[in-house]
Amino acid sequence: MRARHADRDARRDRDFAAFVAGAGGRLTQTATLLTGEAPDDNPRARRLLTHALAHTYACWDRLHGEDPYDHARRHLAVRFADTAWHRYAALGRSRRPLTGPLAGLTPRERLVLVLRLYEGVGEEQVAALLGLPAERVRTLCDRATATVLHPPPAPPTPAAKAAPT
């Protein structure tokens, strides 16, 4: 009996390790885009990814044919939404300045844009995942895309303000 459990646990560990080896890089990039951090300095993204992978590992035996990547991505998105929207977006602040390519977006805009364009998740699926109407998801995606493609002008630096004309 113990040998059978040990074999099953070893097989689960190998399968999960293979999953992480194949999908870990993309999930790391997704988490980094969500948090708006720089790719080489992304502690919040790594923390989000660690929680998502731990949750996926805990549910591994109960996935029953479900795509583990989709499961991990869904947990990553929901956890990001819970932490970012409630803790930072409502207060209009973040722990540290965002420097990533999507730093000019709100957390909700980043989440929708990453899920829709980077991950290729359908509009209706994103709406269901976030509990938003599909029209709202479309609006957020359109606004985020416009902001990324045509960023607002940077405010003048103090030195530029003081320079005589």
Side-chain angles (χ1 to χ4, degrees):
M1 181 86 149
R2 282 186 179 205
R4 187 173 58 180
H5 287 290
D7 288 343
R8 186 187 65 202
D9 290 346
R11 185 176 56 250
R12 180 184 62 210
D13 291 347
R14 281 191 310 273
D15 290 348
F16 184 76
F19 162 70
V20 172
R26 184 166 175 98
L27 285 169
T28 302
Q29 179 66 22
T30 300
T32 302
L33 289 170
L34 287 176
T35 60
E37 297 172 306
D40 57 344
D41 185 25
N42 56 358
R44 285 183 57 221
R46 289 189 310 243
R47 196 168 30 258
L48 273 173
L49 180 60
T50 300
H51 285 287
L53 290 175
H55 184 267
T56 303
Y57 181 76
C59 297
W60 193 259
D61 291 334
R62 295 183 305 256
L63 291 178
H64 300 297
E66 181 184 346
D67 181 13
Y69 183 86
D70 183 54
H71 186 270
R73 178 182 58 207
R74 190 171 51 243
H75 188 76
L76 185 73
V78 168
R79 185 158 180 98
F80 172 76
D82 287 346
T83 58
W85 294 350
H86 298 296
R87 188 175 302 158
Y88 301 105
L91 302 175
R93 64 185 173 103
S94 79
R95 291 182 202 174
R96 48 198 285 211
L98 303 178
T99 58
L102 306 180
L105 303 176
T106 66
R108 188 173 287 185
E109 289 170 341
R110 277 197 312 272
L111 180 56
V112 169
L113 187 72
V114 168
L115 289 176
R116 289 284 293 124
L117 300 183
Y118 184 72
E119 288 292 327
V121 179
E123 191 173 277
E124 294 79 19
Q125 288 177 301
V126 173
L129 177 65
L130 303 179
L132 297 171
E135 296 80 24
R136 180 72 176 136
V137 169
R138 187 177 313 114
T139 301
L140 285 167
C141 188
D142 290 346
R143 183 184 311 144
T145 302
T147 302
V148 169
L149 293 176
H150 308 288
T157 61
K161 287 182 186 176
T165 55

